[in-house]
Structures are given as structure tokens and as C-alpha cells.
Amino acid sequence: MKRCCFSVVTIVFNGVSEIEATIKSVIEQENVSIQYVIIDGNSTDGTQEIVRKYADRIDVFVSEPDSGIYNAMNKGLALCNGDYVCFMNCGDRFDSMCVLSSISKQIESCGRPGFVYGTYREKNGKVIPNRNVSAKWYGMFASHQSMFYSLSVIKRNHIKYDESYRIAADYKFTLEVLAHTRDILRTKDCVAVFDTGGISCTNPDAGLMEVERARREVLHYGMFRSWVIRQLILVARFLKTEKNGIYKFLRY
């Protein structure tokens, strides 16, 4: 069996202050095969100049206008030719230089599962544990940056990001991948350092409605079931504290 190759996709638009740290976290990964794809939304702040500094370590660089982050992510996805794809967008980075090497070994030992996910770390250093994939009905059970999707599963089933979504297309995408594979690897590895300034964090109410829509479209949940889940999530938000046992029960 040939060595596992990761396609890592970075989406960026006017990210001059953060793009270099993201690039370095990818190209400095040790003992692993990587196809690195960067999709830039035609930045005008110096981002393109920074990317070109690392041209010899970047396999694909596209800079052109797009209609939003999920449009850019679909562009990147279409260019991937590895075994697994991971999205490490501008402002995010891998937790260490040996993350992909560790994940690669686990993937090979498990016979190349269709979906792999780990934990993540917030920029303040706090590690956020993942949840069991059986809790996918609740919402994202790990950060998108800590997920690895089999490209053979994606291409065989023509899965892509739904561009009619503005916030939760990554959740719908993940549900669709899970609908087509039962081979799942849950690792304890901390994969990514996550930028909590994204729209899913800053606009949780709009995100909640899109997540509910994804449940209906992919999991085929009815109105009453969706309403009950929404109430559980709202209660969990109200009780959000790591010291609260009820919150932990609802969240994990």
C-alpha cells in the first residue's frame, strides 16, 4: 500500500497578519506526504505576496474572486488528489509538527477509514475534547479543522459544500460523508489550533438555524424532533460552564 497522502486546503481572503503562521504549520509537518492547496479570494492586502514566498512548498495556488467561503472550499476540494482532505484555513494551524505523521500511522493501522477526527485547541490553550460521532444529531462533534475526510468517499458520492448555506455547510458536508461510510477513526490527538473568531462562533443563532436545516435535509428529522433538539441546545448554552454537570451531559 502506498503511503497515505493528505490534501490540505487553506482558504484565505485579506489575511496578511495570519496566513504565514497557517502556511508554516502545514509545510513544516514532519514525515508525511502532503498536497498543499491555497485558495485566495483575490486578496489586496499583501496576502498573495506572502503566499508566493513559499511557492516551492505549495502545490496549487489559486487567487481569484469567489462568492463566499464555501464556494472557495469547493474550488479547493475539486483540486485535491490525495487520500484524505483537511481544511486548515487562514488563522488556524496544526497543533504540532508531527500531527499528520501521527494521524497517518493511525489511518494505516485502521485500514484507511472513511472519516477521521481528533480534538482541537483554542488559541488560549484550552483543549476541547471531541464527542462520539453518534452525537452528530446535536451538531459538530469536533472542529472542522480536526476532521479528515476520505477523498474516495467524497468523489464516489459527489459530495461538496452546499453554497446556499452561509455558516453550517461544513456540518452538512460532514453529515453527508458520514451517511456514506461506517469506517470511522476517533483519535485522541489534538489536531488543530482553532480561531474562534469565525462566523459560526460570532453568530450562533444564525448557525443554529442552519444546523437545524442540515438535520432535516440529511438526517431527515421532522419538525418536532428538531424543535426538541433546539431546546436542548439553548439550555446547554444557558448552562455553559465546564463545572456544570448538566452542561457536560448535554454537550458531551
Side-chain angles (χ1 to χ4, degrees):
M1 182 180 291
K2 70 180 182 68
R3 189 180 185 187
C4 178
C5 176
F6 294 97
S7 290
V8 179
V9 180
T10 293
I11 306 303
V12 59
F13 175 66
N14 286 346
V16 68
S17 64
E18 297 182 301
I19 187 62
E20 191 160 29
T22 300
I23 291 172
K24 286 183 176 180
S25 85
V26 177
I27 65 176
E28 292 176 358
Q29 290 295 302
E30 299 175 345
N31 302 315
V32 69
S33 177
I34 297 175
Q35 177 208 17
Y36 193 19
V37 178
I38 297 182
I39 307 296
D40 171 62
N42 198 27
S43 294
T44 58
D45 66 342
T47 293
Q48 294 189 50
E49 288 74 14
I50 291 176
V51 173
R52 291 190 176 98
K53 282 173 53 180
Y54 301 94
D56 61 330
R57 303 294 303 277
I58 297 167
D59 298 281
V60 182
F61 175 46
V62 175
S63 184
E64 62 186 20
D66 56 58
S67 59
I69 187 170
Y70 296 121
N71 176 246
M73 289 167 79
N74 278 330
K75 289 181 182 180
L77 193 62
L79 294 167
C80 292
N81 58 24
D83 300 299
Y84 291 84
V85 60
C86 174
F87 284 84
M88 195 61 59
N89 294 334
C90 181
D92 305 318
R93 62 183 186 273
F94 286 110
D95 188 58
S96 74
M97 293 186 294
C98 58
V99 168
L100 290 185
S101 176
S102 174
I103 296 295
S104 177
K105 292 174 183 176
Q106 293 175 67
I107 284 173
E108 299 297 354
S109 67
C110 292
R112 297 201 174 187
F115 178 74
V116 181
Y117 69 108
T119 65
Y120 73 94
R121 187 189 311 276
E122 293 181 344
K123 285 193 172 181
N124 61 12
K126 180 181 178 182
V127 175
I128 308 299
N130 56 36
R131 292 179 285 133
N132 193 293
V133 73
S134 63
K136 62 183 182 291
W137 58 268
Y138 186 92
M140 279 297 233
F141 43 88
S143 75
H144 192 224
Q145 296 84 350
S146 63
M147 296 179 174
F148 301 85
Y149 305 90
S150 166
L151 276 160
S152 64
V153 172
I154 290 169
K155 292 178 180 180
R156 185 167 61 247
N157 297 287
H158 309 289
I159 302 170
K160 63 180 183 178
Y161 291 89
D162 187 336
E163 295 178 32
S164 69
Y165 283 65
R166 307 309 300 169
I167 298 173
D170 50 350
Y171 176 57
K172 184 181 181 184
F173 180 88
T174 301
L175 291 181
E176 290 179 328
V177 170
L178 291 172
H180 290 93
T181 183
R182 294 186 177 180
D183 299 322
I184 298 165
L185 169 61
R186 178 187 184 185
T187 175
K188 294 181 180 179
D189 285 8
C190 185
V191 176
V193 179
F194 175 42
D195 182 0
T196 55
I199 190 170
S200 62
C201 295
T202 58
N203 196 348
D205 291 333
L208 180 63
M209 298 308 296
E210 285 202 353
V211 165
E212 187 169 309
R213 176 185 163 194
R215 290 192 198 98
R216 294 197 303 269
E217 293 179 348
V218 184
L219 300 178
H220 307 296
Y221 283 8
M223 294 296 291
F224 177 73
R225 193 174 187 181
S226 296
W227 180 85
V228 170
I229 293 171
R230 188 191 319 148
Q231 304 316 305
L232 282 172
I233 293 171
L234 291 173
V235 170
R237 283 186 188 174
F238 180 73
L239 298 171
K240 189 173 182 179
T241 166
E242 289 300 322
K243 295 181 180 179
N244 192 304
I246 298 175
Y247 169 73
K248 286 187 176 181
F249 172 76
L250 290 172
R251 178 68 174 82
Y252 298 109

